[in-house]
């Protein structure tokens, strides 16, 4: 099976650098779960992976939030960062780099990049007049405001009128180059709905945007004018570059870009699409740097069909959700039940029903009942068969043979729902197959050859499912593999995988005969409705 990505054997993926005005919410968790899942899948394929996450810690919003809490900005940032690190640990997120934009090496990267753009004469001083949303840290056009001058994203907060001198980036200079780039690289912005949004915005004409602020102390000083500080977004986007630095290397653009650049995938929420799909590539063009491969903007989450927010008294605490149900349950629901790229809803009853049906009943029950029969009929060993002699029309082999490629394509296109649906077909077919073949009857009739094929084919199908789902539910996959007699640990990042190993493991029939099985235990405890 050929690799679905480029031939380059490295893969760099980023989450957004999350704004630290408050503790992480379920939306941040959603993006990070998806990024971690894709990173795990890439490692499984034998690629060298760098997953980047981190925090965006400058700007007026943070300055004001800290003041309201009676703290200095750095103390506020430190406390919120601890919350992010804790949540990622509880969600079993295996990031490789955590970048904070307050880091000293980041300031050096920002200023070197600024100097490049300055020397291209793409930065100039001018007057900025307009409506400013502090929550977005962005000037808004009239078309982006409600009638009563509220931001359409932060509807509970009025925008502020600004009339000040700022330094501007010549975004308008890059309109035609951006349009040509979007045409040449059709896959750059995904999904298609996000691409259409960006094309519509750019085709209406690009305006230069300000990249400095006055009266905002909590930011880097502008290298050419110390009375200004660097606009938070100009600073934050470069965090992706700083994160590429090896810990002991000198913070220069050359060092940062030497191995992992360009980024293969920026994974973001759709609310920050313009910064990543318009401003960022234009900035990189100005600095004569290669552009990332892909920007994927996923949808928003709602709860019980309504927008989430503290002011609406409709929030979902990711910490509480994990504590109650476990990380694998949270990871599975959000990736399986919400089509990645469109808006999706969380409902607790639906959450419980999906987990019970898929993980406890279908997958868990299939493994448990088959293992018990293997212990009873084959002395706790995997029945040994000649896999090549199993007919290609065999109901489980028929699905299993093409499953690896189908799931690989789904992961590659970030269609996590399709990954889960594809493997569930094999699981449900396995349960139906046991009911129809009735292995307990085959044993009583002395049909040991038929019994051997039935039990082997079901156990092998469960193994294949566990392997393919391991990027999404690594702990459950570990439990399945251990009960099948393996010592694999899907949480071990240091385990050396190769593309050859991957091809072997996603092929139906890799389960070794006569291997000693572990004791049958529930892999997912059924959740009782409260």
């Amino acid at each position: 099976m050929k690799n679905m990505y480029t031939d380059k054997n490295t893969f760099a993926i980023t989450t957004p650098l999350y704004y630290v005005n408050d503790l992480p919410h379920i939306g941040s968790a959603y993006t990070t779960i998806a990024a971690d899942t894709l990173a795990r899948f890439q490692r499984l394929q034998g690629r060298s992976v760098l997953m980047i996450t981190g925090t965006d810690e400058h700007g007026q919003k943070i300055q004001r939030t800290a003041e309201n809490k009676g703290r200095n900005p750095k103390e506020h940032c430190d406390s919120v960062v601890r919350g992010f690190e804790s949540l990622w640990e509880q969600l079993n997120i295996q990031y490789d780099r955590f970048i904070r934009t307050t880091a000293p090496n980041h300031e050096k990267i920002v200023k070197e990049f600024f100097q490049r753009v300055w020397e291209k004469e793409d930065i100039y001083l001018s007057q900025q007049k307009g409506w400013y949303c502090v929550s977005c840290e962005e000037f808004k056009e009239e078309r982006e405001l409600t009638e009563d001058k509220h931001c359409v994203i932060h509807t509970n907060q009025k925008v502020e009128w600004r009339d000040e001198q700022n330094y501007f980036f010549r975004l308008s200079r890059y309109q035609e180059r951006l349009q040509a780039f979007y045409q040449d690289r059709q896959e750059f912005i995904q999904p298609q709905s996000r691409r259409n949004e960006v094309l519509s915005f750019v085709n209406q004409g690009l305006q230069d945007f300000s990249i400095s602020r006055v009266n905002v102390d909590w930011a880097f000083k502008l290298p050419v004018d110390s009375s200004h500080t660097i606009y938070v977004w100009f600073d934050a986007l470069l965090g992706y570059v700083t994160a590429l630095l090896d810990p002991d290397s000198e913070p220069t653009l050359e060092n940062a870009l030497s191995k992992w650049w360009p980024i293969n995938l920026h994974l973001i929420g759709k609310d920050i699409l313009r910064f990543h799909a318009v401003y960022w590539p234009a900035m990189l063009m100005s600095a004569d740097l290669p552009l990332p491969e892909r920007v994927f903007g996923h949808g928003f989450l709602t709860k019980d069909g309504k927008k989430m927010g503290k002011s609406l008294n409709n929030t979902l605490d990711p910490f509480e959700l994990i504590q109650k149900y476990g990380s694998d349950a949270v990871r599975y629901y959000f990736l399986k039940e919400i089509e990645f790229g469109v808006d999706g809803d969380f409902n607790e009853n639906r959450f419980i029903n999906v987990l019970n049906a898929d993980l406890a009943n279908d997958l868990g029950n299939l493994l448990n009942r088959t293992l018990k029969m293997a212990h009873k009929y084959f002395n706790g060993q995997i029945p040994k068969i000649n896999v090549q002699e199993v007919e290609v029309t065999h109901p489980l082999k028929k699905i299993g043979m093409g499953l690896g490629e189908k799931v690989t394509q789904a992961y590659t296109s970030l269609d996590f729902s399709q990954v889960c649906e594809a493997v569930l077909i094999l699981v449900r077919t396995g349960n139906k197959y046991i009911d129809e073949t009735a292995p307990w009857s085959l044993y009583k009739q002395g049909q040991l050859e038929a019994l051997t094929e039935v039990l082997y084919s079901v156990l092998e199908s469960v193994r294949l499912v566990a392997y393919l789902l391991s990027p999404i539910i690594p702990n459950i996959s570990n439990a399945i593999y251990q009960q099948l007699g393996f010592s694999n640990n899907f949480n071990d990042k240091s385990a050396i995988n190769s593309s050859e190993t991957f091809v072997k493991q996603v092929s139906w029939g890799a389960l070794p005969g006569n291997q000693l099985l572990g004791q049958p235990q529930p892999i997912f405890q059924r959740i009782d409705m409260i």
Side-chain angles (χ1 to χ4, degrees), residues 314-453:
N314 190 46
T315 58
L316 181 61
D317 187 332
F319 293 95
E320 287 180 11
L321 202 61
I322 299 161
Q323 191 172 20
K324 200 170 176 183
Y325 299 110
S327 62
D328 275 22
V330 175
R331 293 168 67 104
Y332 182 80
Y333 176 84
F334 281 104
L335 294 187
K336 191 251 180 178
E337 281 302 296
I338 298 169
E339 182 186 343
F340 201 66
V342 301
D343 295 349
D345 188 62
F346 175 88
N347 173 275
E348 195 155 9
N349 285 344
R350 174 75 181 151
F351 177 85
I352 291 169
N353 287 334
V354 165
L355 295 169
N356 282 341
D358 295 358
L359 302 183
N361 296 357
D362 289 347
L363 180 56
N365 188 43
L366 179 62
L367 174 64
N368 199 268
R369 69 201 291 210
T370 313
L371 274 180
K372 285 178 177 175
M373 286 187 280
H375 274 275
K376 185 175 180 180
Y377 305 143
F378 291 93
N379 299 316
Q381 291 181 308
I382 294 170
K384 185 173 176 60
I385 66 168
N386 187 334
V387 177
Q388 275 69 42
E389 290 179 1
V390 178
E391 297 290 336
V392 292
T393 54
H394 184 288
L396 298 183
K397 185 175 182 179
K398 184 179 178 182
I399 297 170
M401 282 174 63
L403 191 59
E405 187 160 0
K406 183 180 288 186
V407 166
T408 296
Q409 288 173 337
Y411 272 121
T412 301
S413 56
L414 279 70
D415 193 347
F416 305 113
S417 298
Q418 180 56 35
V419 169
C420 297
E421 289 295 346
V423 298
L424 282 173
I425 290 171
L426 183 57
V427 171
R428 290 167 187 151
T429 305
N431 278 308
K432 184 182 175 188
Y433 176 68
I434 283 187
D435 293 340
E436 289 175 349
T437 56
W440 47 90
S441 296
L442 294 175
Y443 180 75
K444 286 178 184 175
Q445 295 162 13
Q447 296 186 43
L448 292 183
E449 192 174 329
L451 175 65
T452 300
E453 183 173 300

Side-chain angles (χ1 to χ4, degrees), residues 71-323:
R71 296 173 172 169
N72 71 48
K74 184 65 165 61
E75 287 172 343
H76 166 75
C77 291
D78 289 346
S79 66
V80 177
V81 165
R82 284 192 290 273
F84 276 94
E85 290 174 333
S86 173
L87 182 58
W88 298 163
E89 184 179 353
Q90 291 177 48
L91 274 173
N92 202 0
I93 304 296
Q94 296 188 327
Y95 58 83
D96 299 288
R97 302 276 168 80
F98 191 105
I99 173 66
R100 297 182 60 177
T101 58
T102 49
N105 64 352
H106 179 59
E107 183 172 10
K108 292 178 180 175
I109 292 291
V110 171
K111 290 187 172 179
E112 185 184 346
F113 186 92
F114 179 93
Q115 195 62 37
R116 276 201 189 196
V117 179
W118 177 262
E119 288 169 4
K120 287 285 287 286
E121 299 184 348
D122 279 340
I123 296 171
Y124 64 94
L125 185 64
S126 187
Q127 197 72 15
Q128 173 76 66
K129 289 183 182 181
W131 296 105
Y132 191 75
C133 175
V134 174
S135 291
C136 289
E137 293 280 13
E138 183 184 12
F139 281 96
K140 298 288 182 179
E141 297 178 25
E142 289 282 349
R143 59 182 167 161
E144 299 173 287
L145 302 176
T146 62
E147 284 184 14
D148 56 350
K149 294 294 184 281
H150 284 73
C151 168
V152 293
I153 297 173
H154 301 97
T155 51
N156 61 338
Q157 182 176 317
K158 275 200 168 187
V159 291
E160 301 175 6
W161 180 258
R162 298 284 173 88
D163 185 354
E164 60 191 33
Q165 274 207 326
N166 290 158
Y167 285 85
F168 283 74
F169 172 72
R170 295 186 195 277
L171 183 64
S172 57
R173 179 181 278 181
Y174 290 91
Q175 173 156 345
E176 290 184 5
R177 278 186 64 183
L178 283 169
Q179 288 169 320
F181 173 72
Y182 300 145
Q183 182 63 33
D184 185 52
R185 293 266 297 278
Q186 300 270 333
E187 77 292 347
F188 175 65
I189 305 164
Q190 294 179 349
Q192 186 65 36
S193 57
R194 302 285 103 80
R195 175 177 157 78
N196 293 342
E197 287 173 34
V198 170
L199 292 180
S200 173
F201 175 76
V202 174
N203 290 342
Q204 288 178 54
L206 291 178
Q207 297 177 0
D208 298 346
F209 70 94
S210 62
I211 61 164
S212 77
R213 296 290 182 266
V214 290
N215 304 318
V216 179
D217 297 328
W218 185 239
F220 297 140
K221 296 284 187 187
L222 205 71
V224 296
D225 187 342
S226 61
S227 66
H228 288 248
T229 51
I230 294 177
Y231 172 47
V232 61
W233 269 107
F234 191 91
D235 154 14
L237 288 163
L238 285 158
Y240 299 133
V241 175
T242 306
L244 302 176
L245 284 165
D246 288 331
D248 56 349
S249 66
E250 188 184 347
T252 65
L253 282 175
E254 185 181 2
N255 287 341
L257 302 170
S258 61
K259 179 178 179 183
W260 296 97
W261 192 264
I263 299 292
N264 296 77
L265 177 63
H266 287 307
L267 207 53
I268 58 167
K270 64 180 180 180
D271 55 325
I272 53 174
L273 178 67
R274 189 180 307 169
F275 295 103
H276 289 78
V278 183
Y279 295 7
W280 183 223
M283 287 162 57
L284 292 167
M285 286 174 178
S286 175
D288 293 323
L289 296 177
L291 272 57
E293 278 185 28
R294 272 199 297 176
V295 173
F296 192 105
H298 65 72
F300 287 157
L301 299 177
T302 54
K303 181 170 177 270
D304 302 324
K306 298 173 185 172
K307 187 177 178 181
M308 278 193 255
K310 287 182 181 176
S311 60
L312 305 168
N313 197 28
N314 190 46
T315 58
L316 181 61
D317 187 332
F319 293 95
E320 287 180 11
L321 202 61
I322 299 161
Q323 191 172 20

